[in-house]
Amino acid sequence: MNLIAKALEWIFDAEQWNGDSGLQVLLGQHLLYTALAVLLASLVAIPAGWAIGHTGKGREITVAAAGIARAVPSFGLLILLVLLFGVLHKPEAALVTFVVLAIPSLLAGAYTGFEAIDRKTIDAARAMGMTEWQILFKVEIPLGLGLLVGGIRSAVLQVVATVTIAAYVNLGGLGLPIISGLNLRRFDMVLGGALLVAALALLLDLVLALAQKAAEPRGLHSSKTKPQPEDSAYRKTLEREPS
C-alpha cells in the first residue's frame, strides 16, 4: 500500500506534468501511436475481412495468417524491424509492429460480423433483387457493425498495452516512466507508469464498449429481451392469462 501511495503521489506531482517530457506529452505520444496503428491496420484488415465474410473464400488461409501474426512476439518484432529499417527510422519500425499486432483482431471482427448474420436475411435480400454491392452496404455491414466494433475494441486494447515497448527504442509513450524507473530503481515511477497505462486502457475500453452497444441494430436488442411467441414458456404464460 505504501508503494501504491507513492506511485499516486508521483502521478499527481505537478512536476511530472511540465516540460517536453511531461506525462501529458507521453500520453499524447501513446495515443498517437495507438490511433495511427489501428487506423492503418483497419485500412488493410477491414476490407479484407468484409471480402472474406461476403464471399466465404479465403477464410482458412486468413485465419492461419492471423494466428501466425498473433504468435509473433511484439518486442522481438520491434527490435528486428528497427535493425532492418535502421536507427533513423525507428518510428516507422514501431508503427509497423503495432499495425501487425492490430490486424488479427480487426480481421476477425470484420468477417465474423458477416458470418453471424442469418443466411435467410441474405437470401431474402437477393430475392428482392438487391445487387451484391447493395447487400454488402445495406445489409451485411450494418448488421455486422457490432462485432466489427468489438474487433476494433480488442485491437485498441492490445495496441495500447504494447505501445509501452516503444520506450525501449527511445520513442516515448507511457512506457518511458516504466523503463526509466527500472533503470533508476524508482519503483514508484514504474508503478505510476503502469497505472497510467491501465487507466488509459480501461477508459478506452469503456468508450468502445458503449460504441459497440450503440452499433448493434435495435432489432438484435429487442430479440434478446422480448420473449418469442414460439417459446413454450411464453405460450404457457399466455394460456394462464384470462381472455
Side-chain angles (χ1 to χ4, degrees):
M1 293 298 295
N2 188 35
L3 181 59
I4 295 177
K6 289 183 178 180
L8 293 175
E9 182 181 353
W10 177 83
I11 292 174
F12 292 106
D13 186 354
E15 292 184 1
Q16 306 303 329
W17 298 87
N18 294 324
D20 296 336
S21 59
L23 291 177
Q24 79 283 358
V25 177
L26 301 181
L27 176 61
Q29 293 171 343
H30 208 100
L31 288 172
L32 179 61
Y33 278 117
T34 300
L36 286 176
V38 174
L39 177 61
L40 292 176
S42 297
L43 295 177
V44 176
I46 292 178
W50 282 345
I52 294 167
H54 181 74
T55 64
K57 298 178 180 179
R59 185 181 186 279
E60 293 78 10
I61 297 175
T62 304
V63 170
I68 294 173
R70 289 180 185 272
V72 174
S74 53
F75 181 69
L77 179 61
L78 174 62
I79 299 302
L80 175 62
L81 292 178
V82 167
L83 294 176
L84 292 176
F85 285 26
V87 294
L88 297 179
H89 299 282
K90 290 187 289 185
E92 294 87 343
L95 195 56
V96 171
T97 302
F98 306 143
V99 168
V100 170
L101 179 68
I103 283 177
S105 296
L106 292 167
L107 191 63
Y111 71 73
T112 56
F114 281 18
E115 290 180 347
I117 301 172
D118 190 343
R119 302 315 300 174
K120 294 179 182 178
T121 304
I122 307 299
D123 295 338
R126 289 197 175 99
M128 291 173 60
M130 295 179 70
T131 66
E132 294 301 314
W133 285 108
Q134 289 175 323
I135 292 173
L136 176 65
F137 286 103
K138 294 185 178 181
V139 179
E140 290 178 320
I141 290 178
L143 292 179
L145 191 58
L147 286 177
L148 173 60
V149 176
I152 296 173
R153 178 183 175 187
S154 177
V156 167
L157 293 179
Q158 290 179 350
V159 174
V160 162
T162 310
V163 168
T164 54
I165 67 174
Y168 277 103
V169 288
N170 298 320
L171 293 180
L174 292 176
L176 185 60
I178 299 175
I179 305 303
S180 301
L182 288 173
N183 294 331
L184 299 172
R185 301 186 65 82
R186 286 281 308 277
F187 299 112
D188 57 334
M189 187 186 300
V190 175
L191 182 57
L195 289 175
L196 288 173
V197 174
L200 178 61
L202 290 173
L203 179 60
L204 292 175
D205 184 52
L206 176 61
V207 172
L208 291 172
L210 295 175
Q212 183 178 1
K213 185 176 181 180
E216 292 181 358
R218 293 181 180 180
L220 294 180
H221 291 298
S222 59
S223 64
K224 293 177 183 177
T225 57
K226 295 181 180 179
Q228 300 300 315
E230 62 269 21
D231 185 81
S232 59
Y234 182 62
R235 288 201 304 270
K236 291 179 181 179
T237 302
L238 291 178
E239 291 172 357
R240 295 193 193 100
E241 293 179 355
S243 58

